[in-house]
Amino acid sequence: MNKNTGNYFNDISFETEVYTGVYWIPINSLGKTKYTYEDMEQILKLPMEIRKKKIHNLYEAIQLFHVSDFKGTFDNADFWIDNIHWQTHKTREKAVFSNEGCCATDTNWLSYFISDRYDRIGSFCYANEDGNGHITTYIKQNKHYYFIDMMMCRKDSQEYFCKENGNLNELLKSEWAGFLFRCENPIDFCHFYMERLKAKNRNIPYCFYMRDIEQVTATGCYKDDNRIVFYIPYCDNPYIIYEDDDKNHKLCFVKLPIQLQCN
């Protein structure tokens, strides 16, 4: 019975080096599924807590993500505090219940289902000088880091990239972020990410950072004609992986404003 989903294959095996120390590998590398699409349709009908118990790995979570047809939408709550534009994000439970949201929400959605299935789950994020940023997922298992962008894993994103096949030439022509990547040093993945964005003539992030926590809470941003500053709350356990040396770009770790602590 068919256990493939979208552009991903339950039984495929390959390891393609895409940058020094960075490998493109199948989603099933972190565990294969025992479910068909029809099985997942039945699991989707179960209460959230029971659904969570049925999901054992990343591949099964993405199967459920496709069956549920998670929708992409801007759903952050906006607050302006001391000239800083703060955005708070849905909790993991609300992400699953609403079944729609932005990059932070789909990251929290994934965390709800697999946070206790691997050694560590957190978020891999970056900030651009235009004031925009992005939030994705990292998984730490044994000595390796694995990176996946749930926004590109959505069912409606599948048409923008090639099938999971290990072919480097096809990857380089695709929206590469829809795949799973493995490395030992996260900074290698940062350099690969920048190389791919540059090749697509897109904005290059001025910093990459991780949040060592299962749930993304909030992000703040200040921008004027001279500088751009991103603010990440300490409660998300953030740490910088890469930052350029431009003094007009900055990433700051701060205490979450009290106005946001009840949201």
Side-chain angles (χ1 to χ4, degrees):
M1 299 182 73
N2 189 4
K3 296 180 179 179
N4 302 329
T5 185
N7 292 335
Y8 311 119
F9 300 94
N10 189 50
D11 293 321
I12 197 168
S13 177
F14 62 83
E15 182 179 280
T16 301
E17 189 169 26
V18 295
Y19 187 87
T20 304
V22 181
Y23 296 86
W24 172 25
I25 57 174
I27 301 290
N28 71 46
S29 301
L30 287 172
K32 295 187 177 184
T33 185
K34 59 182 179 181
Y35 302 121
T36 63
Y37 191 92
E38 291 72 24
D39 293 333
M40 277 296 172
E41 287 182 314
Q42 296 306 309
I43 290 174
L44 183 62
K45 299 175 183 177
L46 300 173
M48 275 174 45
E49 297 81 4
I50 306 301
R51 254 181 282 164
K52 177 179 171 62
K53 293 178 180 179
K54 296 282 187 179
I55 301 302
H56 304 95
N57 54 53
L58 174 64
Y59 193 98
E60 291 179 353
I62 291 177
Q63 280 184 299
L64 182 63
F65 201 53
H66 287 176
V67 170
S68 68
D69 199 15
F70 185 99
K71 299 296 184 184
T73 185
F74 294 106
D75 62 340
N76 298 313
D78 296 304
F79 301 86
W80 279 261
I81 302 171
D82 297 329
N83 293 321
I84 298 171
H85 177 201
W86 282 94
Q87 293 184 316
T88 58
H89 311 302
K90 287 176 182 172
T91 64
R92 299 189 305 166
E93 291 75 13
K94 288 182 179 178
V96 176
F97 181 77
S98 68
N99 201 43
E100 63 177 21
C102 66
C103 59
T105 304
D106 57 44
T107 296
N108 285 344
W109 185 101
L110 180 62
S111 176
Y112 177 82
F113 286 104
I114 66 168
S115 62
D116 58 352
R117 301 305 189 187
Y118 301 101
D119 292 344
R120 192 190 314 160
I121 300 286
S123 62
F124 172 77
C125 320
Y126 65 78
N128 292 323
E129 59 184 80
D130 63 359
N132 292 309
H134 192 40
I135 298 172
T136 68
T137 298
Y138 83 84
I139 297 168
K140 180 70 166 26
Q141 186 69 5
N142 299 319
K143 65 178 182 178
H144 290 116
Y145 288 86
Y146 299 82
F147 298 90
I148 189 75
D149 184 343
M150 289 302 287
M151 185 178 79
M152 291 306 300
C153 288
R154 290 196 322 247
K155 189 176 181 180
D156 62 356
S157 296
Q158 301 294 290
E159 63 180 290
Y160 298 107
F161 57 95
C162 67
K163 299 291 185 181
E164 203 178 44
N165 57 21
N167 186 308
L168 181 59
N169 289 330
E170 290 191 28
L171 172 77
L172 298 180
K173 296 175 184 177
S174 288
E175 287 295 334
W176 52 272
F179 297 116
L180 181 66
F181 298 94
R182 186 196 73 213
C183 66
E184 291 191 30
N185 190 341
I187 196 170
D188 293 334
F189 186 67
C190 296
H191 288 301
F192 166 65
Y193 212 108
M194 287 187 285
E195 182 183 82
R196 287 290 84 224
L197 291 172
K198 184 177 180 180
K200 297 287 186 180
N201 293 315
R202 297 176 185 168
N203 289 332
I204 308 300
Y206 72 83
C207 67
F208 290 86
Y209 59 99
M210 284 181 164
R211 303 189 202 212
D212 188 12
I213 194 170
E214 295 174 355
Q215 180 169 283
V216 179
T217 346
T219 305
C221 180
Y222 172 84
K223 184 177 185 293
D224 61 22
D225 292 337
N226 299 312
R227 66 188 180 119
I228 174 75
V229 184
F230 267 79
Y231 297 88
I232 310 301
Y234 284 123
C235 59
D236 282 7
N237 298 334
Y239 57 98
I240 295 173
I241 315 171
Y242 167 90
E243 188 173 22
D244 70 23
D245 55 5
D246 191 323
K247 304 295 185 186
N248 295 322
H249 306 155
K250 194 173 182 181
L251 183 69
C252 292
F253 301 146
V254 298
K255 185 176 180 181
L256 186 68
I258 193 168
Q259 299 96 315
L260 304 181
Q261 292 177 18
C262 60
N263 287 284

